[in-house]
Amino acid sequence: MGPSILVNMAREDSSATTTNACQNVRQRSAVCVKAGLILQPNINQIDATMSHFDEKTKLVTSPTEWGSWYQTIDEVVIEVNIPYGTRAKQVSCHLTATDIKVVVKDQVLIQGQWYGNIVSQDCVWTIEDKKLLRILCQKSTRDAGNGWKSLLKDQYNADPWTMSEMEKKLTLERFQREHPGFDFSGAKVTGNFENGGPQLPEP
């Protein structure tokens, strides 16, 4: 038995929306094909669709003593609460493919080995509202089946409920990329969504 999915199906070029509760993935796909809602993806459409998806879905964050972290298929994001008024020169972020060390005002806040490798040259960090340090890094392995269980190896593990919600969102993000003609931002997924979730059948 496949997972049960409730999908908001809408053409990108139309305001009309069809909602359908399907009992399994194959039934849902058949209904979509019959309704003529399968669109051929292109880069611009995927970018626009993912932007819409990111705006409409809620972040699933894993709290820590210094703030929180969350992930998408492509990226891991760290949000660190810092003393108000902290300046960039008072922050040191040492980010390599395998390790991270974050120091704020001579205090080490984060140090260790990433759960998975990152692309160090694509990391950026900013101070926002004079009180939040945000670090964004691109994962080396970017697919829904490789969700991070923790930020660092043996540190900052996501609790079971949070990890379950993260895997659900990664599954929906994958569905959205593979089928940009649909709106998966409000979809509900139950069943096996670990390791990237089920494979939707080709139309």
Side-chain angles (χ1 to χ4, degrees):
M1 176 68 70
S4 174
I5 304 178
L6 176 61
V7 185
N8 180 29
M9 299 180 294
R11 280 182 181 269
E12 292 295 325
D13 57 354
S14 171
S15 60
T17 301
T18 303
T19 301
N20 183 70
C22 299
Q23 294 180 355
N24 55 60
V25 174
R26 187 168 298 279
Q27 178 186 351
R28 183 195 63 76
S29 181
V31 170
C32 295
V33 173
K34 184 177 181 180
L37 296 173
I38 296 293
L39 302 180
Q40 291 297 320
N42 58 65
I43 296 301
N44 291 335
Q45 182 186 30
I46 291 174
D47 288 346
T49 300
M50 293 313 302
S51 177
H52 171 79
F53 177 83
D54 291 340
E55 289 176 0
K56 292 190 67 175
T57 55
K58 298 173 67 174
L59 293 177
V60 181
T61 61
S62 180
T64 69
E65 63 268 24
W66 38 257
S68 64
W69 68 275
Y70 63 91
Q71 64 181 312
T72 66
I73 289 177
D74 291 335
E75 299 168 337
V76 59
V77 182
I78 303 170
E79 295 184 338
V80 183
N81 299 316
I82 57 178
Y84 185 81
T86 299
R87 298 182 179 182
K89 65 181 181 180
Q90 296 173 303
V91 176
S92 171
C93 293
H94 181 69
L95 309 166
T96 72
T98 57
D99 297 272
I100 176 175
K101 182 177 181 180
V102 177
V103 182
V104 177
K105 292 187 174 181
D106 298 322
Q107 180 181 359
V108 178
L109 298 183
I110 306 171
Q111 184 174 17
Q113 187 174 358
W114 296 108
Y115 179 86
N117 289 357
I118 55 97
V119 183
S120 58
Q121 61 266 34
D122 289 337
C123 289
V124 296
W125 63 268
T126 58
I127 295 177
E128 302 177 11
D129 300 325
K130 299 182 179 181
K131 61 181 181 180
L132 179 70
L133 171 64
R134 188 190 307 274
I135 304 168
L136 186 152
C137 292
Q138 188 175 82
K139 298 175 180 177
S140 293
T141 303
R142 297 182 288 276
D143 64 72
N146 283 280
W148 289 19
K149 309 293 185 183
S150 61
L151 178 64
L152 308 182
K153 290 186 177 179
D154 302 320
Q155 295 187 69
Y156 313 122
N157 294 61
D159 64 56
W161 183 88
T162 299
M163 192 64 228
S164 175
E165 292 301 304
M166 283 184 172
E167 288 179 325
K168 286 180 184 179
K169 185 169 182 181
L170 292 175
T171 296
L172 292 178
E173 186 179 348
R174 178 176 68 78
F175 287 170
Q176 189 69 75
R177 292 186 179 200
E178 293 174 351
H179 302 275
F182 300 120
D183 179 3
F184 285 94
S185 60
K188 306 297 182 183
V189 179
T190 60
N192 180 19
F193 44 78
E194 294 181 326
N195 300 318
Q199 296 296 318
L200 298 184
E202 293 298 325

